[in-house]
Amino acid sequence: AQRVTQPEKLLSVFKGAPVELKCNYSYSGSPELFWYVQYSRQRLQLLLRHISRESIKGFTADLNKGETSFHLKKPFAQEEDSAMYYCALVGGSSNTGKLIFGQGTTLQVKP
Amino acid sequence: GAVVSQHPSWVICKSGTSVKIECRSLDFQATTMFWYRQFPKQSLMLMATSNEGSKATYEQGVEKDKFLINHASLTLSTLTVTSAHPEDSSFYICSVGSGGRGQFFGPGTRLTVL
């Protein structure tokens, strides 16, 4: 079964602390993974694609096929990082581009 | 990425009426659009994949006669909630598929059924 699991519903850290938002997936084949962010009262925005291996707003994510994980990391959290983060996997039986979302993790960065 | 708009941003209707929500891709020709439903503090639930010029593909458990999707052009998909009831109250979000670049999302439409 194709599935994305984000085990933490809420992650609360202090400003300047490192952050790791966990994402595990279940997929047979080569997965295509994304991280999306939703700030309060705003639309979902693409944060990272694993294919591009880019770093956006100081966040990085590495695909670990052995552990079937795609954890999102940032060395020093900022208050403006407070938001809901979703890990997503391109799923479906055909090449539709449909996304399977994890349950989401709320990141709360305290001053 | 693609710029996606939705109209209306919020709507209140009486039980039993139908509501149409529009999703527009402003700068990208979208052969595929997606419709999601999001409950407060919960993740997005995919309702259907909207294909330009053909029938939508609905996810299991989503009533196609209740949630009518039309994707008549490369820039517009509509979702009509027919005979709406209070349990249909939710946040409806559309997105545009852009292949390997992922999906780009609209701002959402808040539907409240009284």
Side-chain angles (χ1 to χ4, degrees), chain A residues 9 32 34 36 38 42-46 49 51 84 86 90 96-99 101-104, chain B residues 4-5 32 34 36 38 41-44 46 49 59 93 99-107:
Chain A
K9 199 165 183 176
E32 209 174 326
F34 300 85
Y36 283 87
Q38 189 172 32
Q42 292 188 30
R43 73 182 72 195
L44 224 65
Q45 299 173 36
L46 178 63
R49 297 176 292 156
I51 281 175
M84 179 75 104
Y86 294 99
V90 174
T96 61
K98 101 177 177 179
L99 289 174
F101 281 87
Q103 302 92 316
Chain B
V4 183
S5 70
T32 306
F34 302 88
Y36 296 85
Q38 186 179 34
K41 300 193 186 296
Q42 291 190 30
S43 188
L44 282 76
L46 179 65
T49 302
E59 293 299 301
I93 301 172
R101 293 187 296 144
Q103 293 178 20
F104 296 93
F105 289 81

Side-chain angles (χ1 to χ4, degrees), chain A residues 59 66 105:
Chain A
F59 284 98
T105 298

Side-chain angles (χ1 to χ4, degrees), chain B residues 45-100:
Chain B
M45 184 193 80
L46 179 65
M47 298 174 67
T49 302
S50 170
N51 304 297
E52 187 264 336
S54 65
K55 290 183 181 179
T57 306
Y58 290 81
E59 293 299 301
Q60 196 171 14
V62 177
E63 298 175 60
K64 60 177 127 181
D65 293 332
K66 178 156 188 72
F67 298 100
L68 300 178
I69 290 172
N70 184 278
H71 191 158
S73 79
L74 290 172
T75 58
L76 174 65
S77 175
T78 60
L79 168 69
T80 301
V81 183
T82 62
S83 187
H85 287 96
E87 57 266 29
D88 299 323
S89 298
S90 191
F91 199 54
Y92 292 89
I93 301 172
C94 73
S95 71
V96 164
S98 64

Side-chain angles (χ1 to χ4, degrees), chain A residues 18-69:
Chain A
V19 169
E20 182 179 67
L21 293 145
K22 291 185 167 48
C23 171
N24 288 91
Y25 66 89
S26 173
Y27 187 80
S28 56
S30 290
E32 209 174 326
L33 287 150
F34 300 85
W35 275 99
Y36 283 87
V37 60
Q38 189 172 32
Y39 299 103
S40 180
R41 299 182 187 281
Q42 292 188 30
R43 73 182 72 195
L44 224 65
Q45 299 173 36
L46 178 63
L47 185 62
L48 283 179
R49 297 176 292 156
H50 95 268
I51 281 175
S52 59
R53 297 185 61 81
E54 56 208 339
S55 171
I56 304 292
K57 300 186 180 183
F59 284 98
T60 58
D62 288 316
L63 176 62
N64 185 324
K65 288 188 179 180
E67 295 184 358
T68 59
S69 69

Side-chain angles (χ1 to χ4, degrees), chain B residues 10-15 19 84-86 88-90 92 109-114:
Chain B
W10 58 270
V11 57
I12 300 173
C13 70
K14 290 183 180 178
S15 190
V19 173
H85 287 96
D88 299 323
S89 298
S90 191
Y92 292 89
T109 296
R110 170 81 54 203
L111 170 64
T112 301
V113 184
L114 301 175

